[in-house]
């Protein structure tokens, strides 16, 4: 299968182009904060509860809050029905997302508490962990939780020997490398960086720069979504 | 950063991590990195003298000493009660902090599970163990009336500048009211349903300007 044709990718995008993104803040009434993100074919709903008292008592940390995240894919999110319940992959994503968010939240302000983040993937189309992180950080800000900064995430990859931004489904499955990156947009500090496949050092550096620039674009959209909710325009 | 203008008043909404200024003393909702101040919560920026703070637009109630709040009893011990104060942390009310002479083991005779009380935060330690007291003017067990809950971030608007909003509602509805900092409001007597409707209106329009005037007109129309 030809993934790059006449300098264009399979879905007609250029190498450094993102898929269309829509972010909405405060979509759920019962949660303390929430966000809904559509990123290409991805549809993710994130909800935040807390800070609230950690239960059972023995998991409490007397010096800081626990950030506990759950990444879950709906049975209907992929073309073959996904068997329900946590699997190896979703446990891993839950863990890395909570570690990334733990770094930005002022957890020391809420000793003995937990901040729970639930991320539900309603439809998956490559890059769900970045979509989830993006949604989760908007939901956290919506919940009024004190944070050092936002978290903005985006994936980069290598397809047919080219470094391309924001892989689609086919590119992810048939490409040569996939590199999700999450950063704190203000400082540029990296919160998450994983790599699947192979890249040379030059390719890697090029990919990271491309990814960080894209994260800044995502950051602008996140800000816009929150401003829309809180100023009503 | 978006600036909302109304006549010559300004209100600036800031997001977590947003730059606020240099050489400013950080107040609530602000953190410093070197000389730069940044917002830590989503809220409204306000600068007074050399001090900057961000008034949050959402979030849970975090207890502070001297706050007057409304709690409900969730557990009764031999010498204390555990009080839910609508925050991540429950509060402890010791029998010696109650207005009655309570014998050891007799706590349930005075306050039982589900009872609502007006209390004042007397202490919060570094691991956020909260202590409350009923030994102050006006603090008591609530009997009768009704309770309503709104987001704690909206409470300052319900009270208004120097209590202007709350006295307006009290005057025109003849309600007896007590507004807890934790987002719980107790109302009794007078025209309760109008007062509730007015508070719901404040909650919905908390971000707008000239709210006291708008509520005044609304109450006149009722």
């Amino acid at each position: 299968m030809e993934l790059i044709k006449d300098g264009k990718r399979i879905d007609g995008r250029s190498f450094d182009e993102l898929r269309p993104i829509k972010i909405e803040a405060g979509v759920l009434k019962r949660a303390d904060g929430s966000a809904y993100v559509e990123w290409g074919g991805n549809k993710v709903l994130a909800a935040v509860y807390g800070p609230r008292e950690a239960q059972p008592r023995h998991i409490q940390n007397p010096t800081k809050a626990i950030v506990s995240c759950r990444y879950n894919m709906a049975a209907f999110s992929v073309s073959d029905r996904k068997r329900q319940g946590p699997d190896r992959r979703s446990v891993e994503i839950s863990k890395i997302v909570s570690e990334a968010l733990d770094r930005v939240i002022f957890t020391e302000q809420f000793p003995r508490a937990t901040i729970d983040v639930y991320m539900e993937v309603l439809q998956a189309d490559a890059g769900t962990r970045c979509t989830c992180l993006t949604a989760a950080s908007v939901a956290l800000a919506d919940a009024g939780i004190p944070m050092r900064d936002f978290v903005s995430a985006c994936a980069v990859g290598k397809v047919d020997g080219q470094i391309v931004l924001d892989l689609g489904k086919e590119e992810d499955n048939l490409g040569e490398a996939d590199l999700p990156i999450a950063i704190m947009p203000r400082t540029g500090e990296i919160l998450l960086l994983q790599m699947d496949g192979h890249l040379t050092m030059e390719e890697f550096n090029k990919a990271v720069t491309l990814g960080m620039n894209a994260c800044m674009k995502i950051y602008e959209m996140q800000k816009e979504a929150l401003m829309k909710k809180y100023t009503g325009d | 950063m978006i600036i909302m203008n109304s006549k010559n008043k300004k209100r600036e909404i800031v997001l977590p991590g947003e730059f606020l200024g240099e050489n400013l003393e950080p107040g609530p909702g602000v953190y410093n990195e070197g000389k730069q101040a940044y917002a830590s919560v989503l809220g409204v920026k306000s600068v007074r003298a050399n001090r900057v703070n961000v008034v949050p637009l959402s979030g849970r109630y975090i207890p502070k000493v001297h706050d007057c709040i409304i709690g409900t009893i969730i557990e009764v011990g031999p010498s204390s009660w555990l009080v839910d104060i609508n925050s991540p942390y429950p509060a402890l009310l010791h029998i010696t902090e109650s207005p009655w002479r309570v014998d050891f083991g007799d706590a349930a005779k005075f306050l039982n599970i589900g009872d609502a009380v007006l209390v004042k935060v007397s202490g919060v330690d570094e691991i956020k163990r909260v202590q409350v007291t009923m030994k102050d003017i006006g603090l008591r067990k609530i009997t009768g009336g009704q309770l309503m809950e709104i987001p704690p971030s909206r409470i300052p608007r319900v009270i208004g500048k120097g209590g202007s909003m709350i006295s307006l509602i009290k005057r025109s509805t003849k309600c007896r009211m007590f507004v807890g900092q934790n987002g719980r409001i107790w109302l009794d007597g007078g025209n309760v349903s109008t007062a509730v409707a007015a508070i719901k209106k404040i909650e919905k329009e908390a971000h707008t300007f000239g709210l006291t005037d708008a509520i005044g007109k609304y109450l006149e129309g009722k």
Side-chain angles (χ1 to χ4, degrees):
Chain A
M1 189 169 171
E2 218 176 336
L3 291 171
I4 292 181
K5 208 174 179 184
D6 311 326
K8 288 274 180 205
R9 289 152 70 177
I10 194 157
D11 52 3
R13 282 186 290 159
S14 58
F15 298 155
D16 60 351
E17 198 178 332
L18 287 163
R19 287 175 282 183
I21 298 172
K22 192 186 101 183
I23 306 178
E24 209 177 317
V27 289
L28 303 172
K29 202 178 155 206
R30 312 253 181 265
D32 292 318
S34 57
Y36 174 66
V37 177
E38 278 184 25
W39 184 321
N42 291 312
K43 290 181 181 176
V44 169
L45 199 54
V48 171
Y49 288 88
R52 57 184 178 187
E53 199 174 30
Q55 295 289 356
R57 280 280 270 284
H58 70 85
I59 64 161
Q60 292 182 353
N61 183 336
T63 60
K64 65 187 198 75
I66 306 162
V67 179
S68 84
C69 300
R70 193 183 74 152
Y71 167 97
N72 185 47
M73 285 176 96
F76 49 81
S77 63
V78 282
S79 39
D80 295 320
R81 193 192 112 93
K82 188 200 168 278
R83 216 184 117 103
Q84 282 296 274
D87 52 10
R88 189 198 59 76
R89 181 174 167 278
S90 58
V91 170
E92 174 203 315
I93 296 176
S94 304
K95 179 174 183 291
I96 55 155
V97 168
S98 36
E99 282 167 4
L101 295 176
D102 190 71
R103 182 68 190 83
V104 291
I105 299 170
F106 283 100
T107 51
E108 63 279 9
Q109 288 185 15
F110 308 106
R112 304 189 290 131
T114 59
I115 294 164
D116 297 325
V117 183
Y118 299 96
M119 292 156 295
E120 296 290 328
V121 179
L122 306 178
Q123 188 172 292
D125 189 40
T128 52
R129 72 191 69 194
C130 294
T131 312
C132 282
L133 256 172
T134 303
S137 103
V138 174
L140 281 168
D142 182 41
I145 288 167
M147 297 194 286
R148 267 168 262 272
D149 204 350
F150 270 84
V151 182
S152 304
C154 188
V156 202
K158 185 180 170 189
V159 172
D160 278 356
Q162 284 288 344
I163 300 296
V164 296
L165 186 68
D166 188 18
L167 302 179
K169 186 91 221 138
E170 297 79 15
E171 295 171 324
D172 191 20
N173 292 345
L174 307 165
E176 290 135 75
D178 178 19
L179 182 90
I181 303 172
I183 63 164
M184 275 161 78
R186 184 169 68 73
T187 55
E189 193 179 322
I190 291 177
L191 296 167
L192 163 75
L193 193 132
Q194 295 183 301
M195 188 163 85
D196 177 10
H198 298 284
L199 291 174
T200 65
M201 204 60 213
E202 294 93 87
E203 285 170 337
F204 177 79
N205 288 334
K206 191 180 164 194
V208 171
T209 321
L210 190 64
M212 300 247 280
N213 289 339
C215 287
M216 295 311 290
K217 283 184 201 152
I218 307 287
Y219 176 47
E220 293 304 321
M221 292 183 226
Q222 289 175 306
K223 287 204 288 192
E224 214 175 283
L226 281 164
M227 280 304 180
K228 197 174 167 194
K229 186 193 165 189
Y230 283 95
T231 60
D233 55 27
Chain B
M1 184 191 298
I2 286 189
I3 299 172
M4 292 167 71
N5 269 304
S6 158
K7 287 167 203 161
N8 43 14
K9 284 183 241 167
K10 275 198 277 188
R11 187 168 293 159
E12 224 176 86
I13 294 179
V14 292
L15 296 170
E18 196 163 312
F19 177 70
L20 299 175
E22 259 177 60
N23 293 318
L24 292 165
E25 199 189 316
V30 181
Y31 72 101
N32 260 14
E33 235 178 62
K35 281 181 176 174
Q36 279 94 14
Y38 298 96
S40 69
V41 291
L42 192 154
V44 179
K45 174 185 172 183
S46 83
V47 186
R48 247 180 232 140
N50 202 29
R51 204 176 150 78
V52 61
N53 66 327
V54 176
V55 182
L57 286 172
S58 56
R60 287 280 172 102
Y61 169 68
I62 301 300
K64 279 198 312 289
V65 178
H66 303 314
D67 275 359
C68 283
I69 54 179
I70 298 175
T72 51
I73 309 291
I74 46 172
E75 218 175 288
V76 183
S79 63
S80 63
W81 296 275
L82 210 58
V83 188
D84 167 53
I85 54 167
N86 196 25
S87 113
Y89 311 99
L92 198 79
L93 175 64
H94 196 259
I95 51 169
T96 55
E97 295 291 340
S98 75
W100 314 287
R101 219 195 83 82
V102 184
D103 286 328
F104 184 83
D106 275 353
K109 283 187 188 163
F110 296 86
L111 290 172
N112 218 332
I113 292 171
D115 286 347
V117 278
L118 305 184
V119 290
K120 192 172 174 178
V121 180
S122 57
V124 183
D125 70 2
E126 61 270 22
I127 59 165
K128 300 267 180 191
R129 277 184 305 211
V130 185
Q131 285 196 18
V132 290
T133 177
M134 288 177 77
K135 281 196 163 169
D136 213 331
I137 303 159
L139 302 181
R140 59 192 169 83
K141 178 182 171 184
I142 293 174
T143 50
Q146 73 176 67
L147 273 181
M148 69 181 291
E149 219 168 89
I150 63 166
S153 54
R154 304 282 190 266
I155 286 295
R157 302 255 38 199
V158 174
I159 295 170
K161 236 182 214 145
S164 57
M165 183 76 85
I166 187 82
S167 50
L168 173 75
I169 300 172
K170 277 182 186 169
R171 221 180 314 127
S172 59
T173 62
K174 308 246 172 345
C175 253
R176 288 200 296 151
M177 284 174 74
F178 181 93
V179 181
Q181 290 295 323
N182 59 343
R184 290 191 182 139
I185 302 169
W186 172 79
L187 310 106
D188 192 19
N191 197 346
V192 173
S193 55
T194 310
V196 169
I199 291 166
K200 288 223 169 107
K201 193 173 158 71
I202 298 169
E203 181 194 337
K204 219 166 71 198
E205 297 168 14
H207 60 281
T208 57
F209 288 96
L211 195 55
T212 313
D213 296 339
I215 295 296
K217 280 206 191 91
Y218 173 78
L219 287 170
E220 255 169 49
K222 280 269 166 174

